[in-house]
Each structure stands twice: as C-alpha cells, then as structure tokens.
Amino acid sequence: MPALVLLGAQWGDEGKGKATDLLGGSVDYVVRYQGGNNAGHTVVVGDQKYALHLLPSGILSPGCTPVIGNGVVVDPSVLFSELNGLNERGVDTSKLLISGNAHIITPYNVTVDKVTERFLGKRKIGTTGRGIGPTYADKINRVGIRVQDLYDESILTQKVEAALDVKNQMLTKLYNRRAIAVDQVVEELLGYAERLQPYVADTVLVLNQALEQDKVVLFEGGQGTLLDIDHGTYPFVTSSNPTAGGACTGAGVGPTKISRVIGILKAYTTRVGSGPFPTELFDEDGEALRRIGGERGVTTGRDRRCGWFDAVIARYATRVNGLTDFFLTKLDVLTGWEQIPVCVAYEIDGRRVEELPYSQTDFHHAKPVYETLPGWSEDITKAKSFSDLPKNAQNYVKALEEMSGAPISAIGVGPGRDETIEVNSFL
C-alpha cells in the first residue's frame, strides 16, 4: 500500500518539514494526524522560508492535497492567519481538507492552559500555552467542540455550556479569574463557520478511497516520539500520539495500509521545554550547536536545549514506531568539530543501560556514556551523493545507522529543499 508515516524520532524539531516537502512532489496527500499549532515546521524553497504551525507541509507542493485529520486540534484564528500568510505569498491553499471530527481549540482552552501552567510554578510542564492540552482533555472528557459542531448552533451552545460549567468554577474559585460567558464563546466560534465550510470533509472516507485508488498518502506527525503521551518522557510530553500508531487513529486509516515508517533524526539532539535530557550540553559546544543550527522553536520562539546524538533514544524510536527508514538532518551543523561524542548507553546508579529505561526515576538519573568519533572540517552543503561526503562524515552516518537500528535513507546537508542526499528512495 502506498502509505507512508513520517515522524520525529527524538523530541521534535528534527526537520520533518524538510522531509515532508522533499516527498511532497511525489505524493498525492499529506496528512497531519495529531497535535495542533504547538508544532512547527520550517520549509526552505529556493530563497523563500516558510514557517508552518498547523498546516501540513505538503501545502507548499502543487498538486498535493493537504489534510488536517481528526486527531488534530484546530485553532481557527491560527489556521486563518496561516492561510492568509500563504495566500499573500502566492501559495494556493484551496485544496486543503479539514476533518469534521477534528476538535476546536476554544478561547477557554487557551485561558485554562495559561493559568494552570502559571499556577504550577517550578513544577510546570513547559507547554506552549496555546490550549492544546486542555482541548485534548475536553476530548477525552467528552465535552470537546468539534469542527462539525459549528454548523449546529443548538448543539454547539449545549456543549459550550457543559464545558464551562466546570471550567468557570475552577477559574473563579481556584484561580481568581473572571467567568467566561457562554454566549460570547458561541458567537466567536460561529464566526469561523462560513470560512471553514469549504475545507470541511469526511477525511477518513477521502483518504481510504485515495489508498484504494493507489494514491500515495503521507502521514506527517508533529513533535516527536519522546513527546508521545504514552511512549514519551511523561509527564513532560505533548497531549497526543506523534508515534506511528497515532497516524491510524488520527487519520482513520488501518495499520495494514501503512507501507513505510520514516523517522526523522537530527545529527545531534535538541529539546524544547522542561524534562529530562541526558546528553544536554551547558558549555560552549552546546551554545555552538544552538547558534550554527539556528535552534530556536518555529512556533514558540524559545531557544532549544542542545546536546550530542543519543543512540539510546534512536533505538527506542525504531522499536516503538516500527521504523523502516531514517532521514538524518542537519549533518552540516557538525562540520568543524575535531571529535564528535555520541551517546551509546546510559549509566544509572553504577549500571550500564543500553535501552531506554521504562522508569521515570531511572531516566531522570541517566548519565550518558559516550564514544567519540572523528569529525570533519570540509563544507558538505554541496554534496549530492553519499560518496561526496568526507570520509569521516560517511563514517559518522554509518555509525549512527548501526547504533539506531534502521537504514539511513536520506541525509540533510543544508536547509534548502535541494540540499539533501538520497541514499535510498522512500517511494
């Protein structure tokens, strides 16, 4: 079946947008299946840079139909802002489809996110404050607002009332905030309905029919494996499933239809927000990775925490996602280091551990065990094939591939669309 899942194999920000864009010209549909505008992709096309937060990266590929699946949470104001920005730059956005079952981020979800995170103080999770978590909580609590609800004012009003019954009690009595008026929220949400209407579709039906017709469908995850609500570094995670299984539930496509699962790996490791990070660097090497790699969150604007490559995490991502391939990004950032450390295992209470510990306590106490590989000084941004890379860069890629447990089928040697070495075709 011509269905591919493309996801982050670390803590997100690995360069999924570049990978999706690379494939976008060869696929018929690109589907976001989870997350919201807390995710961000940067795509460079020629001398143009595009920052996408909610829209699938495939929206930049002519002939490709971008889809926002049922597993995504949608902030309509952010959606329209992104669409307006792309339209102003001459990008055709008319083919976008949005699942009627996707949940809406309401104004009260954003308010709850911000006040609860502030209330946690030192125990904060490091959320983006965009209402993502509270929207998923409403979904699970069965008081969520779905896109289709905007077209039935009676149902919408009932659902907003049910959600605010509890939230207003919490806001006024616990956080000393003003209650939120039901009518005001309903009016704002109804104001989005007309403009959303042309995009709303039964995307589960559309995607399954496309696969039956041998169309190529690419499922694009936001964030990364270690931020998965079930399989990540809980509780410092997102509120959805960026792992491969999330593509099935978040888009309504059965697992037997997935043919390849591609994990995006940075040639080093970064993380945004709070939580454990064994290879994090607090020295000039960490600052150099941040500066050379331009490590600032696309959506948040926050500096990313930087560290050396962690093979333990890569092996874990291979296992929980069933990865068939890796796309290694930002190899060019490592140019100039004489020696490059790679984390091959952890030391926990005097024990060497080569697989990701399931215990949160153990992971918090994990110290990286490094092996050092020789670096290179040659510019690699013009490399067009694997053999064009300096020998030490080739050896670095081969070592990461062996440690990570899946073949590296593409290598990013610069930010541009054409600055990629394809070792094996994904299609």
Side-chain angles (χ1 to χ4, degrees), residues 281 284-292 308 332-341 373-377:
L281 296 169
E284 58 187 29
D285 282 332
E287 184 53 44
L289 288 173
R290 186 178 297 110
R291 175 175 48 81
I292 298 168
W308 299 121
D332 55 300
V333 174
L334 295 179
T335 299
W337 268 273
E338 289 186 16
Q339 301 288 327
I340 305 173
L373 301 174
W376 60 93
S377 57

Side-chain angles (χ1 to χ4, degrees), residues 228-249:
D228 188 278
I229 187 70
D230 287 294
H231 303 292
T233 51
Y234 191 89
F236 303 100
V237 292
T238 194
S239 301
S240 57
N241 293 106
T243 45
C248 299
T249 54

Side-chain angles (χ1 to χ4, degrees), residues 3-20:
L4 302 85
V5 179
L6 190 147
L7 52 86
Q10 295 158 314
W11 275 288
D13 306 309
E14 300 94 348
K16 294 181 290 296
K18 177 183 174 68
T20 308

Side-chain angles (χ1 to χ4, degrees), residues 286-317:
E287 184 53 44
L289 288 173
R290 186 178 297 110
R291 175 175 48 81
I292 298 168
E295 296 299 349
R296 182 174 285 264
V298 177
T299 295
T300 64
R302 295 182 288 187
D303 283 342
R304 296 179 185 135
R305 300 155 65 189
C306 296
W308 299 121
F309 185 86
D310 189 331
V312 181
I313 284 173
R315 285 194 293 274
Y316 177 74

Side-chain angles (χ1 to χ4, degrees), residues 114-365:
K114 289 178 178 177
V115 297
T116 52
E117 183 77 350
R118 193 176 303 126
F119 185 77
L120 287 171
K122 292 181 180 179
R123 294 176 290 111
K124 66 183 180 181
I125 303 300
T127 77
T128 58
R130 287 164 166 78
I132 311 296
T135 304
Y136 276 113
D138 279 0
K139 177 179 179 178
I140 298 304
N141 287 327
R142 291 164 289 186
V143 293
I145 308 299
R146 298 189 295 177
V147 169
Q148 61 174 278
D149 296 332
L150 304 188
Y151 303 98
D152 188 321
E153 186 173 349
S154 175
I155 286 177
L156 177 63
T157 303
Q158 291 174 45
K159 287 191 171 185
V160 172
E161 285 175 345
L164 285 178
D165 273 348
V166 175
K167 286 179 176 59
N168 275 336
Q169 294 290 323
M170 179 179 67
L171 287 170
T172 57
K173 296 181 179 178
L174 180 59
Y175 298 119
N176 198 29
R177 293 295 184 113
R178 245 181 299 182
I180 296 172
V182 171
D183 292 347
Q184 184 178 337
V185 173
V186 170
E187 182 181 358
E188 180 174 337
L189 294 178
L190 288 174
Y192 298 127
E194 184 177 354
R195 186 171 177 190
L196 270 176
Q197 181 85 64
Y199 303 115
V200 181
D202 181 351
T203 57
V204 172
L205 179 62
V206 169
L207 293 173
N208 279 281
Q209 288 179 337
L211 289 170
E212 288 166 7
Q213 296 164 12
D214 290 328
K215 303 289 187 182
V216 181
V217 180
L218 178 64
F219 299 93
E220 173 188 76
Q223 294 92 24
T225 297
L226 274 295
L227 291 178
D228 188 278
I229 187 70
D230 287 294
H231 303 292
T233 51
Y234 191 89
F236 303 100
V237 292
T238 194
S239 301
S240 57
N241 293 106
T243 45
C248 299
T249 54
V253 171
T256 55
K257 295 186 178 179
I258 305 296
S259 52
R260 297 183 85 164
V261 183
I262 304 161
I264 314 303
L265 271 179
K266 232 175 230 176
Y268 49 100
T269 311
T270 63
R271 167 163 207 171
V272 172
S274 306
F277 182 1
T279 67
E280 184 172 10
L281 296 169
F282 300 95
D283 57 9
E284 58 187 29
D285 282 332
E287 184 53 44
L289 288 173
R290 186 178 297 110
R291 175 175 48 81
I292 298 168
E295 296 299 349
R296 182 174 285 264
V298 177
T299 295
T300 64
R302 295 182 288 187
D303 283 342
R304 296 179 185 135
R305 300 155 65 189
C306 296
W308 299 121
F309 185 86
D310 189 331
V312 181
I313 284 173
R315 285 194 293 274
Y316 177 74
T318 301
R319 185 164 61 251
V320 299
N321 292 297
L323 295 179
T324 58
D325 305 81
F326 278 118
F327 187 138
L328 186 70
T329 63
K330 291 198 167 184
L331 184 64
D332 55 300
V333 174
L334 295 179
T335 299
W337 268 273
E338 289 186 16
Q339 301 288 327
I340 305 173
V342 173
C343 173
V344 297
Y346 300 143
E347 181 186 310
I348 303 173
D349 298 331
R351 296 176 292 117
R352 181 185 171 101
V353 176
E354 298 194 354
E355 300 296 345
L356 196 77
Y358 78 91
S359 163
Q360 176 183 338
T361 301
D362 282 351
F363 193 57
H364 272 275
H365 292 104

Side-chain angles (χ1 to χ4, degrees), residues 14-31:
E14 300 94 348
K16 294 181 290 296
K18 177 183 174 68
T20 308
D21 182 62
L22 177 72
L23 291 163
S26 306
V27 304
D28 300 296
Y29 293 81
V30 174
V31 187

